[in-house]
Amino acid sequence: MLTANKLMPQGRGLAPVLLKRAATIELDWDVRQKSRFDATDSQGRQIGVFLPRGTAVRGGDVLVAEDGSLIRVIAAPQPVLRIAHCTAHGTPFDLTRAAYHLGNRHVPIELKPDHLKIEPDHVLADMLRSMHLIVVAAEEAFEPEGGAYGSHEHSHGGGHDHAHDHGNSKGPKPLVLAPELLDDHDHSHGHDHGHHGHSH
């Protein structure tokens, strides 16, 4: 068995020709969220993956084996529920509410500009339908949000300076809803929210 214990997020820094030639491994989210697992790559080799605890593997990431060979990870299609707002009776804000309620239940959610994806759960599907959302079973790759603290693709280097230049951003940034994080921060920012001249 070949061991792989290094991960290159999205294959950054690798020449496209190397990525093209790399073996591939197709894994669903259940496996990719584990830091240790065995799998077989497209060349039929048994790969034992040992990554730092808490590492989730994303589609497009590249594993580096002990012999230096590269294995490109593909997010395998798997059963998911696609959640969209009802264009006839609802608004896009319904999706924000749905994401909030799912986040409160610590359900892994993939956030897209016009829909959400979760793993199949008939209780949650019923709840979402009662909120006038359209819930459809599908077979697709699943890439849930990593949370604001643990995911390797959102690390901004030391100091966490979030002053991004939004003038030339490419498309919408992923929305990270982690209600459990909100308790630690002081949201007053020195503003008195009671007196903005609004008559209540």
Side-chain angles (χ1 to χ4, degrees):
M1 181 182 283
L2 200 55
T3 303
N5 53 19
K6 187 165 180 240
L7 182 74
M8 300 182 79
Q10 301 304 297
R12 273 195 284 274
L14 291 171
V17 63
L18 287 176
L19 284 175
K20 255 206 210 76
R21 280 207 300 248
T24 56
I25 201 163
E26 204 167 323
L27 307 168
D28 66 14
W29 173 243
D30 203 40
V31 175
R32 284 183 289 114
Q33 65 182 315
K34 299 184 173 93
S35 46
R36 293 181 166 138
F37 56 86
D38 295 340
T40 306
D41 73 6
S42 57
Q43 297 172 4
R45 299 178 303 178
Q46 279 290 111
I47 312 288
V49 177
F50 297 91
L51 297 170
R53 293 235 173 262
T55 306
V57 183
R58 300 283 176 177
D61 287 354
V62 175
L63 295 162
V64 184
E66 61 198 332
D67 66 354
S69 62
L70 304 173
I71 303 119
R72 188 164 49 83
V73 177
I74 296 168
Q78 64 183 82
V80 294
L81 295 178
R82 271 180 80 108
I83 304 148
H85 79 278
C86 171
T87 49
H89 304 110
T91 72
F93 180 67
D94 295 340
L95 278 182
T96 306
R97 283 180 57 230
Y100 172 79
H101 286 293
L102 293 168
N104 265 347
R105 289 166 173 76
H106 301 283
V107 174
I109 319 171
E110 182 172 349
L111 302 166
K112 295 286 189 190
D114 61 346
H115 67 275
L116 308 172
K117 274 190 234 175
I118 61 171
E119 291 173 295
D121 182 314
H122 66 91
V123 174
L124 292 176
D126 289 346
M127 175 192 85
L128 293 162
R129 287 187 181 110
S130 74
M131 294 164 65
H132 304 295
L133 288 147
I134 295 165
V135 182
V136 182
E139 190 89 10
E140 296 177 355
F142 185 50
E143 291 284 9
E145 275 297 300
Y149 39 88
S151 116
H152 60 242
E153 66 207 307
H154 294 301
S155 63
H156 292 287
H160 293 296
D161 176 9
H162 288 288
H164 303 298
D165 176 8
H166 291 290
N168 51 16
S169 66
K170 298 175 181 64
K173 291 272 184 286
L175 171 69
V176 179
L177 291 172
E180 70 273 15
L181 297 181
L182 299 179
D183 300 326
D184 305 335
H185 303 302
D186 174 12
H187 285 288
S188 64
H189 301 301
H191 302 308
D192 178 358
H193 289 292
H195 306 285
H196 282 306
H198 303 304
S199 58
H200 293 294

